[in-house]
Amino acid sequence: MADYDRRQGAGGSYNSKKRRYREDDDYDRRGPRRRYDAPPHVRVRKALIAIADNPMRPWHDEVQSIATLFTDNWDDELLRSNFVDLVLQLAVEQPLKTPFTAAVVLLANATRPEVVDMLLSKLVKGIEAKIEAGEWRDVKLYLKLLACLQGCLEGEGVFPVLEELFARAVDLQTASSEDTIGTEIVKIILLTLPYVMVAAPGQWHQKAADLMEKTEIIASEPHTLQAMIEPYHEESSEENQTPSQSLIGLLQSQLQTEANNGWALPCLPRPWEFPLGDVEQQSKLDAAPKHALPPITIPQTVVAGPRPLFPEVHFSVYANQDVESVPPVTNAAASLIRDVLVDTINILDYNRNVTARNLIDLDCYFAPRTFAARATPFDKLRDIEPPKSTWKPEDVAVDAVFSQLFQLPTPEHKLVYYHSVLTEACKLAPAAIAPSLGRAIRYLYRNSPRLDLELANRFLDWFSHHLSNFGFTWKWTEWVDDVYLPDQHPRKAFILGALDKEIRLSFAQRIKNTLPEPYKELITPEKEKETPDFKFASDDTPFAAEGREIAGLLKRKAPDEEIEAVIQRIQSQAIDREIDALVASTDVFVTCVLHVGSKSLSHVLAAIERTKDRLADAGAASDAARTQIVSAVMAYWSAHPGVAICIIEKLLNYSILTPATVINWVLLGRAGSTRGEALAHSYMYEMVFNTVMKVTGRVRQVAPKADHPQQQQPDHAMPDENAGETRELEVKAMRSLFAAIEDALVSWATGTKDEMIESNGDGETDKLVRRWAERWLRVFRRRAAIEEAFLVDAAKERARRAAEADGKANENANGEDAAMAHA
Amino acid sequence: MRGPRTTVERLDQPSAYFLNRNKRRRSDKDRRDGDEDTNMQAEQPEEDRLKNATTLYVGNLSFYTTEEQVYELFSKCGEIKRLVMGLDRFNKTPCGFCFVEYYTHQDALDCMKYIGGTKLDERIIRTDLDPGFEEGRQYGRGKSGGQVRDEYREDYDEGRGGLGRALQQAEKLSREGRDYDDDYGRLR
């Protein structure tokens, strides 16, 4: 209250200096804070959260000081309970720090062994709860913490838990070859094992060997779904058909190599090891009491959890370089470092600044000398003498983000999150990160023809968005030769697509100024115009007078009858000229609506809102007329496909267009009239992809709903009487949409499309078109497969809930009977 | 709002500006441009009003940034339900802010996390969760029609009309004032 008064007093007049300077955020103008020693639980919290962040502080010092601060204040009850909770929370929120917090626990164990029992009992409950919920990443992270405590566990410690988990994996894998939970469990076991081995060095070699002998069968078998999530889509003719290696397959062989080397695992930190001089601490630690791990119950049936599981492959944009700037896939470090970085990235989506900070500082959390010095230029890596590491921390960080951005079928978060992490990393350490990003971009550009088309478009989207955050600067000169390639060449298509997206985020003149000469021609004068030309302004256009008239009527919001009169005139003229009357009038009308709304999206949306009945009637009248709506929009905004796509999306929302109209317009209409060359335009792909996502999104909304309102979740605001019927309809519509896409693309891909047979044109373009169609096909087949899998899961879930509801109903009925008996 | 305090601060929280706006209980001239003046709002717990917020206030736009550009960027977090550009109260021209409404609360939160603080049209933009657009809020509340912050800004911001408008006005007057001392005095 005092602050408030003081501020008011200082405010004085409206024009006070103070007001003028006040930014939105610094409302809080207190004097210098009085210094005081924070209570121990606050100090421990602060220190534990920041553990290992400071590279200047030796780990053993830091770990010891926190442990001492904690044990010295053992009587502070708040501190005691907070400590355990915080260790658990850090394990799942900041996994890079797990070995360090574990080391604090191990040291505290020497003075206050009770703390380990407190922690273990909560940890065990946590693991059980996460398994029950199918939160497999949290299971993995808790197990990692447990693994780091192996040194203070009685008996075999973590091993029995891992063995029991493995038993579940075997059951799942034998039951179904498409099972993904079993694969996930094996991955977790393999990723936990290395931490056990460094936490209790030298003791468990046989145990580890036994376990790995068992995991071998599951890990080395390629998963049936793997072909679908392969990031590269090689041309069928190409010889180089080596598929990416599955993550668990790699892990298994990497760990085998480690086992043969006595589990050296040089990259993992060992903050519980003290320097040779400090024998006293080390022996205290070694003599600390051991604890029994409370039993962990793993349910007989385990669930997949909220996120659908898919097999994973190892993806790197720094593969096959002449110097290893990232750990090679033969080395366990590749998987271990990647795993914890990816977890960090995906967990901390709520603060991209901290994610970026962690990525830049990643060398703080691994053993010294794991990486080359930060910001070492790539060329200088060559001068590093072995056995020193040539792994560039920036490359490792950037690689981890790209592995998520290019994750198939979909990464955990929206793609723009990964964009933002790269942007922040680049802002934090431009000199270090920018060159690494540059090399990643070159790799992806070179390989974009063989990338899965969905990923190629993600690359396009990221690239243009990234440049928009850094003044649109890129060394375009190095790709200058590709400007002269045909537009259907994948690399040229990338350039065209990227420039279009850059312009969407900025404006044509600005982007033109960032480009070297040959590129400038790619930006046509139409793109620089504020609004497109109105074709009816010229009398050469058929129906020019009528067009101008309708535009005038729309502008002054004339009543519909007046418009109808002009439409009638157009239609009768069209009949005289023997063209489709509805198509002709629809083209004029839609073009006029677009023209009237050309000033901005809200203008056009308002214009559509006012005319939506007429538009809907026109669209409903015939397929040809509906298709003409799309043609008119795409023609009017041809220089700005982004605007066209946006308008099409809104027309879909109004149900003026159907998804099938859009799909057919692209894959039959436009592709047909361009002999398939339209398939090379990224905005065509974007249009189809967005439409498909709209349809599948709708299905996903209705699929989980139970058939009858009484079975529906009480939290559904509106009970849906016809949920079952709606679902059937939506699913049917989705399937026929996918079928239509499949049909159209197959004939393009096999060259059996009439237009291709007739063309007899140059074989080179036809070959490119066939390849584009193959790439499209792969994307939408995958989408279809994923949606089918989703429907299967949703059906299971509905059945489970229905059974649950029945069970409850029976219980209630029994309860009533019992009550009656009592009466 | 959700479980125990995280060990890392969240970016999808309402800004201090929003949370403290009503605490300050200033007169209407101190509210964000276009805010509704209803006293009962001050009584409600602020966070609750944002519990299901699907709208974002977006600030620090250039006056020249178009709706299409906003759509292009903000669609990366989900389909946009409505976009309302902030306008100068008198000229009805864009004055550097807008409201973006999504279909879902999650999209709005993701936008806070992934787009707030990044660049649009080469300017760092700011986003803030908002309880929802109401008619009237699209207009600037500054004396001369734009946003309040553009009245007294002392830095030259090309994307936002140069110097603060009140300063420009004062400068203009002082130039004229050399000849008409009386008028200058009166105008102040």
Side-chain angles (χ1 to χ4, degrees), chain B residues 4-103:
Chain B
R5 180 160 59 121
T6 47
T7 59
V8 167
E9 184 203 351
R10 301 190 66 100
L11 297 182
D12 53 2
Q13 305 287 357
S15 69
Y17 177 94
F18 183 88
L19 289 176
N20 288 278
R21 192 178 41 160
N22 290 316
K23 266 189 229 158
R24 278 187 270 140
R25 289 181 210 198
R26 294 274 186 90
S27 58
D28 57 350
K29 68 178 181 237
D30 198 39
R31 289 167 309 134
R32 173 174 296 160
D33 302 66
D35 280 343
E36 266 315 277
D37 185 18
T38 41
N39 290 330
M40 55 172 277
Q41 281 181 5
E43 306 303 324
Q44 282 177 12
E46 286 307 318
E47 293 208 17
D48 274 357
R49 293 175 56 221
L50 298 175
K51 203 175 66 190
N52 296 309
T54 53
T55 303
L56 297 162
Y57 162 88
V58 182
N60 198 34
L61 295 175
S62 151
F63 291 177
Y64 307 104
T65 298
T66 64
E67 288 179 34
E68 289 75 7
Q69 287 171 284
V70 176
Y71 257 92
E72 183 66 24
L73 180 64
F74 282 77
S75 296
K76 293 184 194 294
C77 276
E79 189 180 338
I80 293 171
K81 188 175 179 190
R82 181 167 58 158
L83 168 62
V84 182
M85 294 298 278
L87 299 175
D88 183 293
R89 200 162 71 244
F90 303 125
N91 319 327
K92 306 288 183 282
T93 53
C95 71
F97 73 99
C98 70
F99 293 97
V100 173
E101 189 184 341
Y102 288 102
Y103 283 95

Side-chain angles (χ1 to χ4, degrees), chain A residues 502-519:
Chain A
E502 282 192 72
I503 292 173
R504 292 193 209 175
L505 289 166
S506 182
F507 52 99
Q509 191 56 53
R510 168 80 181 98
I511 299 307
K512 210 170 188 173
N513 286 337
T514 65
L515 298 173
E517 205 45 63
Y519 289 88

